[in-house]
Amino acid sequence: PGQREELTDAFELYDVNNDGEIDRHEFSGLLRSMGQDLNPAEQDRLFSEMDTNGNGRVERDEFIAVMAPQLSARADAERERPPVEQLAEDLFREINKDEDGFVSFAEFRAKVRQLPTDMAEEEVDELLQEIFGSDDTFIDREEFTDFIKRHKDEIGPDAI
């Protein structure tokens, strides 16, 4: 199905009374189901932007008119992103279980131990020492991406 059909299907899942409109609560669930991880203020801003007629509800056409261009832009950006950056993003998301924007030493070590590798414990420790240094217990997304770029050949696409 095309993008409009996919957006319509997603909308209709959350339009529980089938009236072609969703309220703020339904809107929040709809965004989450689409992978839109927005805080309440961002959700309110987007809801207000979509509610072009000001009736306090988002209608199907209002929703599609705003979301279709956003999803197209995101898809274009994903296609343009170099594969290693996509790998880093996917790995970061996989490892960062608590979604705090940082990967802890423990989170990273647990993931490295799950990888299909012949690395000895000493090699794992050396790898962790390289990325975390002697002082850090956490790294952010940028540090993580830089590390993945430096070691892309060793990590490979099967790491996830």
Side-chain angles (χ1 to χ4, degrees):
Q3 185 180 57
R4 183 174 176 80
E5 291 82 15
E6 289 177 14
L7 288 170
T8 298
D9 290 346
F11 185 92
E12 289 174 354
L13 284 173
Y14 287 86
D15 179 17
V16 293
N17 63 357
N18 296 317
D19 65 355
E21 300 177 334
I22 56 175
D23 62 22
R24 286 183 187 274
H25 178 72
E26 294 166 328
F27 182 71
S28 176
L30 174 57
L31 290 177
R32 279 193 308 277
S33 76
M34 296 177 60
Q36 300 286 318
D37 188 24
L38 304 177
N39 66 42
E42 292 169 326
Q43 286 181 19
D44 285 344
R45 181 199 53 74
L46 186 56
F47 187 92
S48 295
E49 179 184 333
M50 286 185 188
D51 183 19
T52 57
N53 65 8
N55 69 351
R57 300 177 63 76
V58 171
E59 297 169 11
R60 182 182 304 109
D61 290 339
E62 292 173 325
F63 174 76
I64 291 170
V66 172
M67 290 306 292
Q70 287 186 7
L71 292 179
S72 291
R74 187 182 339 155
D76 291 345
E78 289 293 324
R79 279 192 294 277
E80 292 171 7
R81 186 187 301 190
V84 70
E85 289 183 15
Q86 183 63 51
L87 171 66
E89 179 66 28
D90 293 345
L91 274 171
F92 188 88
R93 215 176 297 126
E94 172 70 24
I95 296 170
N96 185 223
K97 298 289 188 200
D98 58 9
E99 298 180 355
D100 64 355
F102 295 92
V103 169
S104 72
F105 183 90
E107 288 172 323
F108 194 83
R109 184 181 189 106
K111 181 61 180 177
V112 170
R113 286 185 169 164
Q114 293 174 358
L115 295 177
T117 180
D118 295 329
M119 291 176 70
E121 282 295 315
E122 299 87 34
E123 292 173 305
V124 171
D125 290 341
E126 287 174 21
L127 182 70
L128 293 170
Q129 182 68 30
E130 179 182 340
I131 189 169
F132 285 93
S134 58
D135 302 333
D136 289 346
T137 55
F138 294 92
I139 55 171
D140 63 19
R141 187 180 311 270
E142 185 177 331
E143 291 172 306
F144 185 83
T145 300
D146 289 344
F147 174 81
I148 297 300
K149 285 179 180 178
R150 288 193 314 270
H151 295 279
K152 65 182 179 206
D153 294 331
E154 297 119 276
I155 294 171
D158 297 330
I160 298 175

